[in-house]
Amino acid sequence: MSATTLDHDHAHAHDHHEPGFLRKYVWSTDHKVIGLQYGLTGLLFLLFGFFLMLLMRWSIAYPGEPVPAVEAIRNIPLIKDLFEAMFGRWLNPDGSLNGELYNMLGAMHGTIMVFFGIVPLGFAGFVNFVMPLQIGTIDMAFPKLNMLSYWFFFVSGVLMMYSFFVGTGPVQTGWTMYSPLATTTTLGVTNVWQHGHTWWLTAMVFNISASLLGSVNVIATIINLRAKGLGWMKMPFFCWAMFVTAFLLLLAFPPLEVAAILQLSDRVFGSSFYLPTGLMEGGKHLDISGGGSPLLYQHLFWFLAHPEVYVLILPAFAILTDVIPCNARRPLWGYKSMVYSVLTLGFLSFLVWAHHMYLTGMGTMMSTYFQITTVLISVPSVILLTCLMISLWGGSIRFNTQMLFASAFLPMFGIGGLTGLPLAFSFIDLAMHDTYYVIGHFHYVVAPGTIFALFAGVYHWFPKFTGRYMNDKLGKLHFWPSLLGMNLIFAPMFIQGMAGFHRRWYDGGKYFENTSGFTHWSTTLTHKVGAFFGLDIPDNMLSLNIVMSVGAFILALGQIPFIINFWFSIKGGKKAENDNPWGATTMEWATPTPPGHGNFLFEPVAHRGPYEYSVPGHPVDFFPQWESEHGKPKPDGSDAPAKTEHAATHH
Amino acid sequence: MSDNIEEIQKSIKKYLIIGALLIVFTVITVWLSYVELPTHGLNILVGMIVATFKASLVALIFMHLNHEKSVIYKTLVFTVVLVFVLFVLFYFSKMDPLVFDGFYKLSE
Amino acid sequence: MDIPYTVHARPDTGLYNAKIGIWLFLASEVMLFGGLFSAYIFLRLGADYPWPVHDLDVTLGFWNTIVLIASSVTVVMAWASVKLRRYGQYKIYMAITVICAGVFMFNKSLEYKAKLKHYAVKLTDGTILTGHMPEDEHHNTIPYRIKFGEITELSLTIPVKKSAITADPVGYVIPHIEGEAPKFKTADGKEITLDDAAFAELSAAAVEKAWAEGKGSATVKLTAVTPLKAAAKPSEIFGYTADSITFRDGTTAKGKLLDDKMTLLVDGIDARGVAQPDKSLAFDHRYLGAWQPAFVANREHHIAEFEENYPTRDKEKSATLQKESLFYKIHSSTPPAADAAHGGDKHGAEAHAPAEGGHGGGHDYPTVVIDKKDITFFSNFTPKLNTYYAIYFTLTGLHGLHVVAGALVLLYFLVFNGRMLREDPEHLANRIEVGGLFWHFVDLVWIFLFPLLYLL
Ligand code: HEM
Ligand SMILES: [Cu+2]
């Protein structure tokens, strides 16, 4: 394995100029490096978004109380200035959060998690690293565009972060950026470049361009560069799910771009796309022509944003369809129905967007239509989940870290999905809309759902990136607190939401006595547990805020083992025994570890379907796609039918 | 697109004809827009039909969609369906048939 | 190792990579313009004003359409020429294509430019007056400004807690004051010029004091050493009364209102939004009173004509008739005032669509001085004017960007790919096909844009 890789790399280096560090890791066109770049940037953004959330949770649980450690931070040189510029300048003089800062944190948390964390890591990161290997090709169809895609994304990230530093601070109007509020805020400041908002919109334009380039690349690669023998129905489900995701990105993002351009025009040129006639602010008519409609914004936004939520979840399914069969040593159950489901899901996800808009008064016919499609779309989602569950049936499951995360995903996503169903009905949504119930719903899908799957993916492919395993003990130390923390945060949200807690209250409902006075077994329990530890937690809905904040804290602690594990294992982890340490069947495991430039040492040919685990009569419990018969060709290519003519021209 | 030299030679003439047709239909569009049909909605409908016809000429002949590969057809059909959904739903979100009678704006 | 299928098609899909790439890209472009067109549908259906029809320069739009169609033909001919290895022809065709793009953009810029100088002013009763601002002898527009004089005192409100919008006289007040670096006296008699440093000092002291007194904000008063004059666009200030003006940062100045009247060289009276069009505010004796008979005559003329041509049709429902009879256009050759009434003179009344207003001078237009209290809204013909112009600029602007981008790519092929043309013409043919596909798409979008924005 690694020895051969080294040789391979050497041979390579002599023919070309030694690619310098910059060419190799920064301006790289190699899909694996780009995948890593995307993945690492995504992880960093996830961490940052998580940090924003911790600040918010503090304010919710302890409104009006100084944020702990602020004083300490304000004493560290350098960090102090950074903290002051980003957050400190908005804090109350006593160091507590106020509504304005909370709004900034909330908006940026949502934006960063969705557009800068999960999509780059889950989609761009994994698809870039894994997909070309799985379909047995040497790189993406357009490597230069691929590099451009990452750098567009990078620029968009920089612009987004820059918005923390400008005059008005970052946006305050939620990740959904609803007009007219989002159109008119901070317009008092005439220099538009001092508006966090302008930077948000500009960053989004770059972000959209990046995902456009990325998705064109992914689709073209899957269509045209599949290895010999890899027919559509032999393709791992991972690639199918990513293929559909790429289509969602390709076709759903442009309307968001439209939405952003029109909003920018409203703000900068004073047009009225989203501003109705007669709009007033502060008792004065605005200097606008009017004639537009806030509904237009919502339509354009949700046309993207619903498919976007499937962009968040499909990579999770993609990863799990590799992790679960591999660790259950069972073929994926219902591969075909999963493929058709995911295609249906992709299509339907474009037709349900206005279920986010039941309360806008968009009209009864629209509501009816969108209720029907929304209920329909849960069918393919359920099929996907069910297939994954049945795949476990009769398996001999290896509970390594990735499998723990994978198996926790199933119930967590189940909760998230099932709580979405009631929301599909407009009459229930009337009560639930914009409450914590909705927050609970989508966080269950995205956080213990998608993020767990992403962790599973990291643990699963780590040996391919680096040739070393991640530590299993630390992995478990990562998993259990995460599971506990996630549920402590998100489960109480359903209770609170049904009690009428509105989202985006920076003080966690403290000043809304009517909605926070209820008791419930969960609040009583909290009260009693608190008393046991000598804490005075009131017996009402507000107590759940404290539970959630404790959960967030546990979750934060739980990530420390992961970070240590990740960096430590790169150099110090246990070495993987061979190129296919998990005994997997898909083609990425046929490459040397880590795969060199050009990936394969022999021309991979797909001889069978992707999930041939525990084939009766086969000497081992997996039968990889690339083997014509057991053990052939050897992974180092030594007995492969001489390297292809491509290789010949190359060397 | 076929790489056949003869076919390309033949199609050159076709391209010129299509170009001329497009110009003719542009004139027709302009003229039609000044004709007062019973409702302005009808004017729009007619105008859009002509425009769609012109657009299909461009797509079919200039962009060679008259003989393309199935992958591209599938992608485009999917996309066009989505655009159409977008149009129709945006239309109906303004024109809820339950509270509005008739095919609005064609009757006005 | 090279990526397969960059030049030749993969047998089972029949496509080379770039072709898949460009079609996917176009699919996403379809969604982009699809989104914009659906916004158009939405805005048009929701418009609460008569949607402009035939308001743009149709002739210009028509020629631009022809230019784009021509370029579409030449680009496909360029591709065919490479396939047939007729290199000379290829270069000519490609060059023509790029030139067409240039012509198109040139025309577009003419169209845009005319709009920037053309204004519409909405009066309180819904009448819209269109026209130009007066010009000085160098043909520079004299803009509309609220003018203040005898400014003696500035009063700044500085909040204690930092917030997005705070008193910022350096940015929001000083730029509107006439003269270099005006001097002020602070409460304790110090003389200062207001710049960033001075203001920072001032506000720090004030905030400290307010904080100590437990107040939410501090008020700082500055006295001008010599009385000052200020002039500002209405959008640059929050409001004003006869003796005070409030700037966007909340700073208030005491002074005397000198002038808030708007001078407009009127080229059109749009009375479609008025309940009784011939009683429109435009025909107030201070404004265009003398033109009312001409307006009425014009309206009657058009109604009569309509009834003759379409006897069975409801004239209330014809948008075209509404426009012809209630949007009275004044051209520099329109016979002034009452004369027109007698002739019922069609030529005079209709003139050339002055909405395009190519003429900068317009000395023959009636000059009207409008009271501020009669104006509800005004704008030049930019996205601000109404949702139609907003979507017009967005659609054509984005389309224009596509034209420029496409032309640059084609130009690149022409100029820099000479070697590929000789050595690997098949590869270049692919490139041109891909670039051409994009170019045709741009043409295709225009095919819809032209009728939707110019004609219907
Ligand atoms: C399984 C079927 C699902 C159904 C029926 C469903 C239904 C809904 C509905 C009706 C809402 C709107 C609630 C409201 O705002 O009042 C909603 C919100 C949301 N859903 Fe789902 N959902 C499903 C799955 C998912 C998945 C898989 C994800 C993400 C990976 C997701 C993410 C979200 C998000 C992010 C929001 C809230 C957006 C916001 O308002 O900020 N949902 N869901
Ligand atoms: Cu949704």
Side-chain angles (χ1 to χ4, degrees):
Chain A
M1 42 154 259
S2 19
T4 31
T5 325
L6 278 182
D7 288 345
H8 175 76
D9 268 354
H10 255 334
H12 184 88
H14 284 298
D15 291 351
H16 294 276
H17 307 287
E18 178 81 47
F21 178 81
L22 276 182
R23 275 298 297 279
K24 208 162 162 200
Y25 293 108
V26 181
W27 305 116
S28 173
T29 56
D30 185 317
H31 70 98
K32 298 177 292 294
V33 178
I34 294 173
L36 287 181
Q37 288 173 329
Y38 257 123
L40 288 177
T41 324
L43 276 173
L44 285 180
F45 271 118
L46 277 182
L47 197 66
F48 180 69
F50 184 76
F51 167 70
L52 299 181
M53 179 276 269
L54 285 181
L55 280 177
M56 286 155 69
R57 284 250 60 106
W58 175 264
S59 173
I60 294 172
Y62 305 104
E65 290 180 35
V67 180
V70 164
E71 282 314 311
I73 291 173
R74 282 183 163 157
N75 285 328
I76 312 172
L78 285 181
I79 301 270
K80 172 182 79 181
D81 298 329
L82 197 65
F83 179 81
E84 207 53 35
M86 292 175 84
F87 313 107
R89 59 180 166 143
W90 308 109
L91 286 173
N92 287 337
D94 65 353
S96 62
L97 261 80
N98 50 39
E100 257 182 60
L101 179 54
Y102 182 88
N103 286 345
M104 294 175 193
L105 297 174
M108 292 309 274
H109 165 76
T111 308
I112 285 177
M113 286 302 200
V114 171
F115 296 109
F116 293 84
I118 298 198
V119 177
L121 172 61
F123 174 69
F126 280 105
V127 83
N128 265 308
F129 192 93
V130 178
M131 182 274 286
L133 300 178
Q134 274 197 347
I135 64 170
T137 181
I138 62 172
D139 207 323
M140 295 288 242
F142 313 109
K144 287 203 187 102
L145 290 187
N146 208 13
M147 176 183 84
L148 203 61
S149 160
Y150 175 74
W151 287 106
F152 270 17
F153 167 68
F154 188 83
V155 169
S156 87
V158 171
L159 295 180
M160 192 56 88
M161 293 307 287
Y162 183 70
S163 76
F164 275 99
F165 298 93
V166 297
T168 69
V171 285
Q172 294 187 31
T173 41
W175 79 285
T176 50
M177 222 50 69
Y178 275 1
S179 281
L181 183 62
T183 308
T184 57
T185 40
T186 68
L187 275 186
V189 178
T190 40
N191 179 355
V192 293
W193 299 110
Q194 287 299 322
H195 297 175
H197 207 107
T198 311
W199 293 96
W200 192 92
L201 292 171
T202 324
M204 285 314 291
V205 170
F206 273 92
N207 192 300
I208 293 166
S209 315
S211 42
L212 174 69
L213 292 175
S215 51
V216 167
N217 231 327
V218 168
I219 300 172
T221 308
I222 292 183
I223 290 178
N224 234 24
L225 300 188
R226 274 165 296 125
K228 216 183 268 170
L230 193 69
W232 284 100
M233 279 303 173
K234 277 192 192 162
M235 199 163 72
F237 184 79
F238 181 94
C239 297
W240 270 112
M242 291 299 191
F243 185 68
V244 172
T245 312
F247 260 106
L248 298 187
L249 285 173
L250 184 76
L251 301 179
F253 256 123
L256 179 74
E257 189 145 16
V258 173
I261 292 172
L262 301 193
Q263 197 170 71
L264 202 61
S265 157
D266 275 6
R267 290 181 64 93
V268 177
F269 301 116
S271 56
S272 294
F273 286 114
Y274 304 140
L275 305 179
T277 307
L279 185 67
M280 296 176 84
E281 206 182 73
K284 272 184 66 175
H285 278 285
L286 294 175
D287 178 31
I288 51 160
S289 68
S293 163
L295 259 187
L296 174 59
Y297 178 80
Q298 296 199 16
H299 275 302
L300 289 172
F301 179 82
W302 287 112
F303 185 84
L304 156 93
H306 187 83
E308 175 76 16
V309 308
Y310 285 92
V311 171
L312 301 177
I313 197 67
L314 287 182
F317 277 107
I319 291 167
L320 293 190
T321 50
D322 275 344
V323 173
I324 289 187
C326 174
N327 289 302
R329 313 310 290 166
R330 294 272 301 146
L332 187 65
W333 193 87
Y335 168 79
K336 269 200 183 153
S337 46
M338 284 186 84
V339 169
Y340 292 123
S341 296
V342 81
L343 291 174
T344 321
L345 190 82
F347 178 67
L348 282 180
S349 73
F350 284 102
L351 308 182
V352 300
W353 77 82
H355 62 214
H356 297 269
M357 300 164 55
Y358 289 140
L359 258 68
T360 57
M362 62 183 168
T364 43
M365 195 201 78
M366 293 285 275
S367 286
T368 314
Y369 164 84
F370 280 107
Q371 287 179 66
I372 296 172
T373 51
T374 305
V375 174
L376 277 182
I377 201 174
S378 53
V379 175
S381 320
V382 169
I383 294 181
L384 290 182
L385 189 65
T386 316
C387 287
L388 281 179
M389 288 206 261
I390 300 182
S391 302
L392 295 173
W393 191 266
S396 48
I397 301 176
R398 294 193 298 229
F399 276 112
N400 45 21
T401 314
Q402 65 263 42
M403 191 58 186
L404 282 178
F405 275 110
S407 29
F409 169 92
L410 302 174
M412 294 294 113
F413 175 78
I415 294 176
L418 287 180
T419 50
L421 265 183
L423 296 177
F425 301 96
S426 64
F427 58 93
I428 300 182
D429 195 54
L430 287 182
M432 297 301 195
H433 180 70
D434 269 355
T435 66
Y436 262 90
Y437 182 90
V438 175
I439 311 284
H441 152 63
F442 71 77
H443 277 95
Y444 255 102
V445 191
V446 185
T450 304
I451 293 186
F452 274 13
L454 299 184
F455 281 137
V458 172
Y459 284 98
H460 185 66
W461 278 291
F462 194 85
K464 189 87 283 180
F465 306 147
T466 61
R468 288 167 194 273
Y469 294 107
M470 284 176 84
N471 184 304
D472 212 41
K473 292 234 168 53
L474 281 174
K476 287 183 176 141
L477 210 57
H478 174 206
F479 170 72
W480 289 107
S482 298
L483 184 67
L484 179 68
M486 291 279 190
N487 282 292
L488 277 183
I489 303 175
F490 299 122
M493 288 187 179
F494 294 124
I495 301 170
Q496 274 198 339
M498 284 193 266
F501 257 62
H502 199 278
R503 71 196 287 191
R504 294 181 183 160
W505 279 344
Y506 83 97
D507 56 10
K510 190 175 176 199
Y511 299 111
F512 299 84
E513 302 293 344
N514 291 341
T515 47
S516 46
F518 304 115
T519 59
H520 179 256
W521 63 261
S522 61
T523 64
T524 315
L525 184 67
T526 311
H527 172 72
K528 291 200 170 134
V529 172
F532 180 76
F533 287 106
L535 300 170
D536 180 25
I537 302 177
D539 183 6
N540 61 26
M541 280 293 151
L542 291 181
S543 69
L544 295 182
N545 288 332
I546 297 177
V547 177
M548 289 187 248
S549 295
V550 170
F553 189 63
I554 296 178
L555 186 59
L557 289 184
Q559 305 317 301
I560 295 172
F562 174 70
I563 296 171
I564 296 175
N565 198 350
F566 190 88
W567 294 111
F568 174 76
S569 302
I570 293 177
K571 287 265 182 269
K574 192 175 128 219
K575 281 209 170 127
E577 302 81 24
N578 55 39
D579 287 334
N580 186 4
W582 306 119
T585 51
T586 43
M587 288 208 273
E588 76 269 33
W589 303 102
T591 59
T593 308
H597 190 68
N599 298 344
F600 292 89
L601 298 181
F602 57 92
E603 186 182 337
V605 178
H607 295 283
R608 62 188 57 74
Y611 302 106
E612 302 284 318
Y613 289 103
S614 305
V615 183
H618 196 67
V620 288
D621 65 351
F622 63 103
F623 199 174
Q625 275 193 290
W626 67 86
E627 291 188 355
S628 53
E629 52 195 274
H630 178 53
K632 278 199 149 192
K634 289 221 177 73
D636 62 5
S638 53
D639 64 346
K643 269 204 87 178
T644 59
E645 67 278 22
H646 291 310
T649 52
H650 175 66
H651 283 288
Chain B
M1 182 63 215
S2 90
D3 291 340
N4 189 326
I5 302 282
E6 269 157 47
E7 255 175 57
I8 292 178
Q9 235 147 6
K10 261 190 239 151
S11 40
I12 286 187
K13 207 166 141 205
K14 196 164 68 187
Y15 296 145
L16 292 176
I17 295 174
I18 298 296
L21 260 183
L22 285 174
I23 293 178
V24 170
F25 274 98
T26 308
V27 176
I28 292 180
T29 319
V30 175
W31 170 69
L32 274 177
S33 80
Y34 286 98
V35 175
E36 180 115 345
L37 298 178
T39 70
H40 192 69
L42 273 184
N43 275 70
I44 298 179
L45 194 67
V46 172
M48 283 300 99
I49 290 173
V50 178
T52 312
F53 176 70
K54 283 166 68 186
S56 1
L57 286 184
V58 173
L60 291 178
I61 312 294
F62 287 168
M63 300 172 90
H64 308 312
L65 275 185
N66 52 354
H67 49 266
E68 203 37 278
K69 300 296 176 300
S70 79
V71 175
I72 287 175
Y73 285 135
K74 282 178 199 153
T75 310
L76 288 182
V77 167
F78 182 52
T79 314
V80 169
V81 168
L82 286 188
V83 173
F84 199 69
V85 165
L86 206 59
F87 288 167
V88 170
L89 288 179
F90 272 53
Y91 180 90
F92 280 121
S93 82
K94 271 288 168 199
M95 297 300 135
D96 194 335
L98 288 188
V99 291
F100 211 94
D101 55 301
F103 197 36
Y104 179 69
K105 290 276 162 162
L106 281 189
S107 60
E108 217 180 72
Chain C
M1 224 171 282
D2 293 317
I3 293 163
Y5 315 121
T6 42
V7 182
H8 295 289
R10 176 179 165 123
D12 59 348
T13 57
L15 295 163
Y16 54 91
N17 299 341
K19 184 119 165 223
I20 303 183
I22 189 71
W23 273 112
L24 290 171
F25 178 67
L26 290 185
S28 130
E29 291 280 56
V30 169
M31 292 309 290
L32 180 79
F33 282 98
L36 283 164
F37 281 121
S38 36
Y40 173 94
I41 296 177
F42 204 87
L43 293 171
R44 182 163 190 171
L45 292 178
D48 51 5
Y49 57 94
W51 191 259
V53 172
H54 287 137
D55 261 24
L56 302 171
D57 190 337
V58 175
T59 324
L60 201 64
F62 174 77
W63 285 114
N64 256 354
T65 313
I66 304 296
V67 167
L68 267 197
I69 291 175
S71 74
S72 246
V73 176
T74 53
V75 82
V76 74
M77 295 297 268
W79 169 79
S81 309
V82 176
K83 278 278 187 191
L84 300 174
R85 310 283 183 269
R86 297 178 188 155
Y87 298 146
Q89 264 187 19
Y90 152 70
K91 283 181 187 155
I92 296 173
Y93 280 129
M94 207 51 150
I96 298 180
T97 312
V98 176
I99 292 171
C100 281
V103 172
F104 181 90
M105 288 316 290
F106 177 73
N107 285 343
K108 236 341 11 114
S109 70
L110 290 185
E111 204 177 298
Y112 279 5
K113 219 165 107 194
K115 299 213 160 37
L116 294 183
K117 287 194 156 187
H118 196 213
Y119 282 81
V121 181
K122 191 170 179 192
L123 304 181
T124 38
D125 69 341
T127 312
I128 294 172
L129 294 180
T130 59
H132 295 86
M133 296 282 166
E135 293 182 345
D136 62 16
E137 60 276 20
H138 306 298
H139 288 286
N140 293 323
T141 308
I142 304 170
Y144 173 49
R145 292 283 182 272
I146 310 282
K147 296 194 186 101
F148 257 77
E150 297 175 32
I151 295 179
T152 49
E153 190 187 281
L154 290 188
S155 155
L156 323 174
T157 311
I158 307 169
V160 169
K161 200 192 97 209
K162 199 169 155 110
S163 92
I165 303 162
T166 40
D168 178 14
V170 186
Y172 290 86
V173 181
I174 300 298
H176 306 307
I177 290 190
E178 267 175 38
E180 289 280 300
K183 289 213 162 25
F184 294 93
K185 261 208 196 102
T186 60
D188 43 356
K190 223 168 70 187
E191 199 172 293
I192 56 168
T193 45
L194 253 187
D195 53 21
D196 279 320
F199 175 66
E201 199 179 312
L202 210 63
S203 65
V207 164
E208 203 169 308
K209 190 151 158 271
W211 176 247
E213 291 168 4
K215 282 194 217 147
S217 64
T219 311
V220 174
K221 288 205 160 49
L222 295 174
T223 326
V225 174
T226 48
L228 301 169
K229 279 185 170 174
K233 283 188 211 164
S235 62
E236 287 166 347
I237 55 179
F238 262 143
Y240 63 93
T241 61
D243 56 5
S244 81
I245 180 167
T246 309
F247 294 92
R248 290 279 288 254
D249 65 337
T251 302
T252 310
K254 283 224 174 77
K256 210 177 114 210
L257 178 64
L258 295 183
D259 182 19
D260 65 351
K261 288 191 169 51
M262 175 192 278
T263 311
L264 191 72
L265 304 170
V266 178
D267 64 14
I269 304 163
D270 181 356
R272 280 176 291 179
V274 193
Q276 282 177 297
D278 45 347
K279 300 224 170 67
S280 153
L281 200 53
F283 304 125
D284 187 289
H285 68 277
R286 288 167 298 160
Y287 300 152
L288 292 162
W291 293 74
Q292 192 200 26
F295 171 80
V296 175
N298 175 54
R299 189 180 57 174
E300 270 157 15
H301 165 79
H302 278 289
I303 292 178
E305 201 178 61
F306 185 83
E307 279 173 348
E308 194 182 305
N309 291 340
Y310 309 99
T312 58
R313 293 263 297 280
D314 182 353
K315 60 182 185 301
E316 291 296 309
K317 281 198 173 164
S318 166
T320 318
L321 175 65
Q322 299 294 318
K323 185 175 159 192
E324 282 172 346
S325 60
L326 297 179
F327 192 175
Y328 182 59
K329 289 177 179 167
I330 302 170
H331 188 252
S332 43
S333 64
T334 312
D339 303 357
H342 305 303
D345 164 14
K346 189 168 184 266
H347 302 288
E350 280 202 337
H352 301 165
E356 285 313 310
H359 328 259
H363 0 269
D364 294 337
Y365 294 119
T367 304
V368 170
V369 180
I370 311 170
D371 282 346
K372 180 73 196 324
K373 70 167 175 25
D374 285 340
I375 303 175
T376 51
F377 176 76
F378 79 95
S379 162
N380 48 358
F381 279 60
T382 53
K384 189 174 173 185
L385 182 62
N386 56 32
T387 47
Y388 168 77
Y389 278 99
I391 194 81
Y392 157 76
F393 274 101
T394 314
L395 270 170
T396 54
L398 276 180
H399 178 262
L401 277 183
H402 281 76
V403 171
V404 172
L408 286 180
V409 170
L410 296 181
L411 189 65
Y412 178 89
F413 293 161
L414 182 62
V415 176
F416 293 104
N417 280 353
R419 188 154 152 224
M420 190 184 275
L421 179 63
R422 273 171 274 120
E423 290 172 6
D424 193 359
E426 212 41 32
H427 196 173
L428 185 64
N430 282 352
R431 284 193 169 190
I432 295 170
E433 186 178 10
V434 165
L437 280 174
F438 179 75
W439 193 253
H440 295 307
F441 176 77
V442 172
D443 182 26
L444 201 144
V445 169
W446 184 257
I447 286 179
F448 286 102
L449 274 191
F450 174 56
L452 280 180
L453 293 174
Y454 290 72
L455 302 177
L456 297 171

